[in-house]
Amino acid sequence: MRPGAVHPQVESRGKAPQRRIPYNCKTTADCGKVIDDLSWDSNFLGLKTGRLHCDREEQLLECLANIKGDHYQLIYVFSDTAIDVRPADCRLIDVGGQVTYSKSLEITRQSREQEHSEDSIGIYQGPDENESLLQLALLSGHLSRFRVDPWLPPGSFERLYRQWLLNNLQNKESSRVYISGHSEDPEGILTTTWKQAHGTIDLLAVRQDSQGKGIGSKLLEHIENEAVKYSAHQIDVKTQMINNAARRTYERNGYSLKLSLIHISEPTRPRL
């Protein structure tokens, strides 16, 4: 699917569960059930933020009309297809698509259990405040909607990815930060969350002067070996639809396209 943002004409992820929108919602009360209220995003950005899933242009128009009194300032619209519509009181901004890749580890588990990854790759052991590590985290999101959406408050992208990295570093129970190279100045970073026999790649980046050496692939191989410790059977990762370099890396390492999403950012009038 491809995501975009709707900004209800103001200047302009906590992750809420995704729900499909019933097309026949007719009342504001009904629409309260079809928009995901993103409280974490609202607090972080200082804008009341929600998320819609729409399949058709008329469906989007109807849902936007039905939530006018809810005072949303930023709405992210997810769609299976491109939406070419111009609501009277909203500005739709295409902020890029998102794709999800997945790899089943059932086939590779037995052969990888005995393998050892590169000595230069391991869990980051340094301090939480590491400028080199932060720069890698920011590099991982250089095509993120939080960076390309011009309606978001200045500095939102940097604050978000700094917080995302800190969350990975501080959540010792389920998150891990893997690096290639030395802790003081790593060449690459990959962060994962392990939960219920499932791994999710959060951030992956390789320093620009170290790209082309296969470091990204080595990091991916390392966490597949690590997955055995967590009894993980599958690893998923999301990336931007236009991030061709990342997509090639995942596909080259056996990840299959699972889902694509269109992203539209919509700035609406003050308090839609």
Side-chain angles (χ1 to χ4, degrees):
M1 269 203 270
R2 181 176 177 149
V6 181
H7 297 263
Q9 268 252 125
V10 328
E11 298 182 4
S12 85
R13 104 192 16 28
K15 299 180 181 176
Q18 297 184 1
R19 300 189 294 272
R20 300 301 296 175
I21 299 178
Y23 173 60
N24 60 354
C25 66
K26 296 297 182 183
T27 68
T28 301
D30 289 336
C31 271
K33 302 174 184 176
V34 302
I35 186 168
D36 293 326
D37 189 76
L38 304 180
S39 57
W40 190 94
D41 297 63
S42 299
N43 292 332
F44 187 84
L45 297 172
L47 303 169
K48 185 173 182 181
T49 305
R51 175 172 55 201
L52 288 173
H53 288 253
C54 292
D55 295 325
R56 295 179 293 277
E57 295 168 1
E58 62 270 23
Q59 180 185 8
L60 173 60
L61 292 173
E62 181 177 354
C63 287
L64 290 176
N66 288 340
I67 61 172
K68 271 186 178 293
D70 292 340
H71 306 302
Y72 280 96
Q73 295 170 280
L74 170 63
I75 302 169
Y76 279 100
V77 180
F78 290 77
S79 174
D80 292 318
T81 58
I83 293 179
D84 184 17
V85 64
R86 297 292 180 267
D89 54 359
C90 298
R91 180 177 300 177
L92 294 176
I93 302 174
D94 186 345
V95 292
Q98 183 182 84
V99 291
T100 300
Y101 282 93
S102 181
K103 183 172 184 178
S104 171
L105 302 180
E106 291 299 324
I107 299 175
T108 60
R109 172 175 299 280
Q110 191 171 15
S111 60
R112 289 191 182 275
E113 278 185 351
Q114 303 302 321
E115 292 182 8
H116 299 284
S117 51
E118 297 286 324
D119 292 338
S120 61
I121 296 177
I123 295 177
Y124 174 73
Q125 302 290 352
D128 290 352
E129 293 296 331
N130 181 324
E131 185 61 26
S132 296
L133 205 64
L134 175 60
Q135 290 306 313
L136 281 170
L138 295 176
L139 181 61
S140 74
H142 72 287
L143 294 174
S144 164
R145 71 178 186 268
F146 294 100
R147 186 172 186 270
V148 303
D149 188 341
W151 285 83
L152 292 180
S156 296
F157 164 70
E158 291 80 4
R159 289 195 303 118
L160 177 66
Y161 273 71
R162 177 187 289 273
Q163 187 62 54
W164 200 351
L165 175 61
L166 284 175
N167 290 346
N168 282 132
L169 288 167
Q170 295 171 358
N171 183 4
K172 306 295 186 182
E173 184 176 342
S174 61
S175 295
R176 294 291 181 271
V177 177
Y178 303 95
I179 61 167
S180 172
H182 300 292
S183 295
E184 297 81 5
D185 189 20
E187 293 182 294
I189 183 176
L190 189 156
T191 71
T192 57
T193 301
W194 302 102
K195 191 174 182 180
Q196 297 178 344
H198 182 268
T200 300
I201 297 173
D202 298 315
L203 305 171
L204 172 60
V206 175
R207 208 170 59 199
Q208 290 178 324
D209 63 354
S210 297
Q211 292 177 5
K213 300 178 181 178
I215 293 174
S217 294
K218 291 176 182 176
L219 284 163
L220 289 172
E221 180 180 345
H222 183 85
I223 66 160
E224 289 173 25
N225 294 337
E226 288 281 290
V228 176
K229 300 178 184 177
Y230 303 96
S231 301
H233 302 287
Q234 180 176 313
I235 296 177
D236 289 342
V237 59
K238 293 179 181 178
T239 191
Q240 296 79 28
M241 192 176 289
I242 61 172
N243 194 342
N244 294 322
R247 296 184 65 175
R248 284 195 298 268
T249 297
Y250 295 129
E251 291 168 3
R252 190 164 55 240
N253 284 275
Y255 287 74
S256 301
L257 186 63
K258 180 180 178 182
L259 177 69
S260 58
L261 188 69
I262 294 176
H263 232 146
I264 301 164
S265 174
E266 176 203 1
T268 52
R269 244 185 330 222
R271 305 275 177 186
L272 184 71

